[in-house]
Amino acid sequence: MIIKSLDHLRLISNKIADNVSKKDCIFLIGEIGVGKTTFTRNLINYLQKREGVKETEVLSPTFNLLYEYDIKNLKVMHYDLYRIKDSKELDQLGIFKGDPSTIKIIEWPDLVETTIVDRLELHLKYSNKESERELNIFGHGKWKNLNENEL
């Protein structure tokens, strides 16, 4: 699928947000600057607006590794694993040892070895046009039958 604009990416984020629930995990895969954090910002701000919670600034957690967002009865954990170079470091983060009823959004999930049943993988790539991105979606568990045409 070709994402034509930032508005198009926002619409995709919103549609995914309408279907996301506790225990879901979203893997964001792609080069630096391709739109992973923008997707996450759109999704979190949409959930906040939908739940009547003040929208917050959603930053890339590249240096902090994690930002948490409490949105009424939802908790979103936004990880950026770019700086993690070893699976031992990943274990220390305890991503999958805490509360299992959180939505996890993970940028740079290359070292994640845990099998997550309800997982959505978004692979973003630069396109020939500067304002466009290629998006490939792979769903597992409840996301398995997600049809890209619905987005």
Side-chain angles (χ1 to χ4, degrees):
M1 151 188 296
I2 298 294
I3 298 173
K4 303 262 184 203
S5 65
L6 288 173
D7 280 340
H8 188 195
L9 179 60
R10 184 180 47 76
L11 291 173
I12 291 168
S13 300
N14 294 355
K15 288 182 181 180
I16 290 172
D18 280 335
N19 292 289
V20 76
S21 57
K22 295 176 182 177
K23 300 183 182 182
D24 284 349
C25 190
I26 299 173
F27 283 180
L28 298 173
I29 300 153
E31 296 177 56
I32 290 174
V34 78
K36 298 179 299 293
T37 301
T38 302
F39 167 86
T40 303
R41 179 179 304 113
N42 291 336
L43 186 139
I44 290 171
N45 286 160
Y46 176 80
L47 289 173
Q48 290 170 329
K49 185 176 180 180
R50 187 182 77 187
E51 296 300 319
V53 175
K54 183 181 180 226
E55 288 184 34
T56 58
E57 189 173 6
V58 177
L59 303 172
S60 173
T62 300
F63 295 104
N64 292 1
L65 302 179
L66 166 66
Y67 285 127
E68 297 179 30
Y69 302 88
D70 289 308
I71 308 168
K72 289 204 174 176
N73 64 342
L74 289 175
K75 183 170 192 161
V76 179
M77 311 281 279
H78 178 204
Y79 294 91
D80 186 324
L81 306 180
Y82 180 74
R83 296 185 312 127
I84 303 295
K85 302 300 179 209
D86 183 293
S87 59
K88 290 178 187 173
E89 292 177 75
L90 191 60
D91 290 342
Q92 291 173 349
L93 279 175
I95 297 174
F96 303 104
K97 294 178 183 161
D99 182 1
S101 64
T102 60
I103 298 166
K104 293 171 184 65
I105 301 173
I106 303 174
E107 297 185 37
W108 305 96
D110 303 351
L111 294 175
V112 174
E113 295 174 356
T114 303
T115 303
I116 300 143
V117 176
D118 294 321
R119 182 177 80 246
L120 183 64
E121 295 180 18
L122 302 179
H123 296 252
L124 290 151
K125 293 182 186 176
Y126 287 103
S127 178
N128 292 335
K129 293 184 179 179
E130 189 175 324
S131 63
E132 295 181 350
R133 300 291 188 263
E134 287 181 41
L135 172 64
N136 292 301
I137 299 173
F138 301 94
H140 305 271
K142 80 170 206 182
W143 296 99
K144 187 174 184 174
N145 296 320
L146 178 69
N147 184 342
E148 286 183 10
N149 297 326
E150 295 170 3
L151 301 175

